[in-house]
Amino acid sequence: MDPIRKQELKRQAGRRLAEQRQRAGHLRGRVLAISLACFALLWGIVFVQMATGNDPALSGKKVAKTQATASTRREVETTDPREVETEQGAANELAREEEAAAEAEVEGTEVGPASPEVEEVETVEAEPEVEAVETEPLVTSQS
Amino acid sequence: MRREAVESFECFGGRCAVRVGDRDGEAAAAAVGDARQALLEAHRTLSRFDPESELSRLNRDPRPEAPASPLLRRLVAAARAAGQRSGGLVDATLVGEIEAAGYADSREFDPRGADRESPPPHPAAPSRRAAWCLLAVDDRARTVSRPPGVRIDPGGIAKGLLADVLAESLDGFDSFAVDCCGDLRVGGRGGRSRTILVEDPAGGEPLHELRIADGAVATSGITRRAWTGPDGRPAHQILDPGSGLPAFTGVGQATAVAPTGLLAETFAKAALLAGPDGAESYLPYGGVIVETDGAVRVVDPLGSVLPEVLTA
C-alpha cells in the first residue's frame, strides 16, 4: 500500500477512535449525572415524607382509610358526655361520609353503611387495617 | 372492622378515660370495661383519703415490714424509682407535710389560690431525711418495708403507674389511650400516632400539640389543686421536699414526654420543682414548661429549646 495512503488511513482510524472515546465519555457522564439525580430525588422524597411525619411504615392504605372513615364513625361506643355529637358534629360526619363515598367511587369501590358487599369485603380482609379515623385529640392537664 | 371503644369516668379525684381501637370491637369494648374496673379498684386500694384502703392500712401499720398486694408493692417500688430518677425531688413520703399544708382529706380547690402573693420563687431541694430511700419491696415474701411512721402518698405517681399497668394489658390491641386525670399513655400494635394537646393553666387555647404513637405524657402544676393554707398563704399539692412546704419555683406547670407514664409523671414533677433554670434537664424526651410569669418554653425531643415561643 502507498505509504501516504497508509498514513492517511491511520489518521482516520485515530480520529474515529478519539471520537468514539469522546462519545463513551459523554455517555458515562450522562449516566452518572442521571443516576446521581435519581438518587438525590428518591432520598429527597423519603426525607420530605419522614420530616413531615408521614412514615409509610406507620400509615395505612388508602383503601383502609376510605372504609374506616365511611363506616367506623357510627360504631364508636362512648359514655363520655364530651363525645355526644352535636348538630355541628353530625354535619361534619355527614360531610366526611360524603367525601369517603366520593373517594370510594373514584376507586371503584361501593361504600354504604348497610351495604352487604362492603361487609363481605371487610370479612375477607387478611391484612389488619391501620387506623385512619382521626379521633378527638387527647389533652394532658395537671393531674 | 376497626372500632374505638371509649369510657370516661370519675376516678382519682378527677376524670379518667380509656380508649381502645381494634378490629374486634367486642373485645375492645370488654377491655375498656375491664380497664375501668381495674382503675376504680386501684383507686380503692391506693386512696390516701379512705381509711380502709390498703395504702391507709399500710401507712398505719407499726411493723417495719408489712404484707402488701402486687399493686401496692408496685406502687412502693415506683415511689422509690421516682425518687431515684429525680434526685430526691419527687418524694412520695411527705404525707405529714401535705396534711400540714391543708390537704389531709379530699377537699375543694380554688384554682386561683396559688396566684395570691406567692413567696419569691426558688428551686426546690431534696429532703435531708430522704425517707423514699428506705422504701423496699420483697416480691418473694410479698411484703414492703419502710421505717415505722414513714407514710406513702401515691399522688401523681399512682396515676402514671396505673396508666402503665393498663397499657400492659391493652398492648395487644391495635390502638389504645389511657387518660388518668391528664396523665396519658398511648400505644398499640398499629403504631397509630395520636394528637395530644397541652392544656393552658390559665384556661386559654392549648399551648402545644404533640404527636405520639407509643409513649406517655404527664403534666404537673400548681394551679389546679390549689387552696389557701391554714396560715392564709397560697398552697398547693406540689411540695418542696427540702422545706416540706408548697413549692414556688417559678415554674407553674411542666409537661413531660417519656416512654412510660411513671417516668413522664416523675419528669414533669421534677421539672416543676427544679425551677426555670433546671427544668429542661428533667425533660430528656421533650416537654413544655410554663413559667409563673406566663412564659412558655417548648423543649423538643432532641433536647433543644425554643425559647419563649408563646407568652400569656
Side-chain angles (χ1 to χ4, degrees):
Chain A
M1 188 185 286
D2 179 12
I4 296 175
R5 173 73 180 147
K6 194 176 175 181
Q7 204 170 4
E8 177 62 23
L9 285 174
K10 259 188 177 175
R11 260 202 307 274
Q12 282 178 4
R15 203 164 47 240
R16 276 201 294 270
L17 198 61
E19 283 170 357
Q20 203 175 7
R21 282 181 182 148
Q22 200 176 12
R23 276 200 303 275
H26 284 160
L27 202 59
R28 264 200 298 273
R30 233 174 283 161
V31 167
L32 189 67
I34 291 169
S35 301
L36 284 174
C38 287
F39 182 80
L41 184 69
L42 282 172
W43 279 107
I45 290 168
V46 171
F47 174 78
V48 170
Q49 201 169 14
M50 300 296 276
T52 53
N54 299 317
D55 188 341
L58 300 179
S59 69
K61 296 171 188 169
K62 190 160 188 186
V63 175
K65 181 177 182 178
T66 304
Q67 289 173 350
T69 309
S71 51
T72 313
R73 301 292 297 181
R74 191 164 289 114
E75 292 162 6
V76 170
E77 295 169 14
T78 177
T79 57
D80 185 350
R82 290 174 297 183
E83 293 283 311
V84 176
E85 289 176 355
T86 59
E87 285 182 13
Q88 182 62 45
N92 289 341
E93 185 181 334
L94 189 62
R96 276 194 297 271
E97 282 184 7
E98 284 171 3
E99 190 185 332
E103 279 183 30
E105 264 183 33
V106 170
E107 291 164 15
T109 309
E110 283 183 22
V111 176
S115 167
E117 287 82 1
V118 172
E119 286 302 316
E120 199 175 315
V121 170
E122 284 160 3
T123 52
V124 297
E125 275 180 357
E127 293 280 322
E129 295 172 12
V130 177
E131 181 67 62
V133 177
E134 185 65 28
T135 55
E136 160 186 350
L138 302 168
V139 178
T140 180
S141 56
Q142 295 178 24
S143 56
Chain B
M1 190 65 209
R2 181 179 298 276
R3 307 171 185 217
E4 184 160 81
V6 184
E7 282 211 34
S8 179
F9 48 94
E10 292 292 326
C11 191
F12 292 110
R15 193 134 196 98
C16 296
V18 182
R19 294 167 180 265
V20 177
D22 198 77
R23 291 167 64 88
D24 187 344
E26 286 183 15
V32 165
D34 291 346
R36 178 176 188 262
Q37 287 304 318
L39 271 183
L40 293 171
E41 180 62 33
H43 178 55
R44 283 191 287 273
T45 303
L46 303 179
S47 173
R48 177 166 67 87
F49 306 125
D50 177 4
E52 292 311 309
S53 72
E54 188 183 2
L55 177 70
S56 295
R57 281 186 272 123
L58 175 70
N59 281 343
R60 286 196 303 268
D61 199 316
R63 294 173 290 179
E65 193 171 331
S69 66
L71 181 61
L72 187 54
R73 294 203 301 274
R74 206 163 161 182
L75 175 77
V76 172
R80 185 183 165 95
Q84 282 173 330
R85 294 302 295 256
S86 63
L89 284 181
V90 180
D91 191 334
T93 62
L94 305 175
V95 180
E97 289 84 346
I98 192 75
E99 288 176 348
Y103 196 12
D105 295 301
S106 186
R107 59 167 297 155
E108 295 294 316
F109 297 108
D110 171 14
R112 296 190 172 277
D115 292 343
R116 288 195 297 268
E117 295 174 14
S118 53
H122 63 87
S127 162
R128 288 185 180 180
R129 189 170 56 117
W132 60 269
C133 289
L134 306 173
L135 302 176
V137 172
D138 187 340
D139 281 323
R140 189 172 291 178
R142 298 177 183 172
T143 59
V144 298
S145 55
R146 73 278 175 267
V150 170
R151 293 183 289 162
I152 298 164
D153 174 18
I157 291 173
K159 292 163 190 159
L161 173 66
L162 284 162
D164 291 338
V165 170
L166 291 188
E168 288 164 11
S169 65
L170 299 174
D171 203 33
F173 291 98
D174 287 344
S175 69
F176 69 84
V178 180
D179 177 353
C180 284
C181 305
D183 282 7
L184 307 173
R185 179 79 164 87
V186 300
R189 288 181 308 170
R192 172 192 167 205
S193 63
R194 288 179 185 265
T195 301
I196 297 175
L197 303 175
V198 178
E199 191 177 67
D200 179 2
E205 291 293 305
L207 297 174
H208 191 62
E209 182 179 312
L210 301 158
R211 293 283 298 177
I212 294 179
D214 187 0
V217 182
T219 298
S220 193
I222 65 171
T223 49
R224 175 174 283 184
R225 294 177 194 257
W227 62 90
T228 302
D231 55 358
R233 299 172 71 181
H236 57 80
Q237 61 164 354
I238 311 292
L239 298 185
D240 176 350
S243 66
L245 300 171
F248 292 92
T249 65
V251 175
Q253 177 177 293
T255 297
V257 179
T260 67
L262 175 62
L263 211 47
E265 172 65 31
T266 303
F267 285 151
K269 191 173 281 185
L272 187 142
L273 288 168
D277 295 334
E280 193 196 332
S281 64
Y282 285 102
L283 301 174
Y285 298 94
V288 180
I289 302 161
V290 184
E291 298 181 23
T292 45
D293 63 4
V296 178
R297 277 188 290 160
V298 177
V299 181
D300 79 11
L302 297 177
S304 61
V305 179
L306 309 174
E308 296 183 335
V309 293
L310 292 167
T311 49

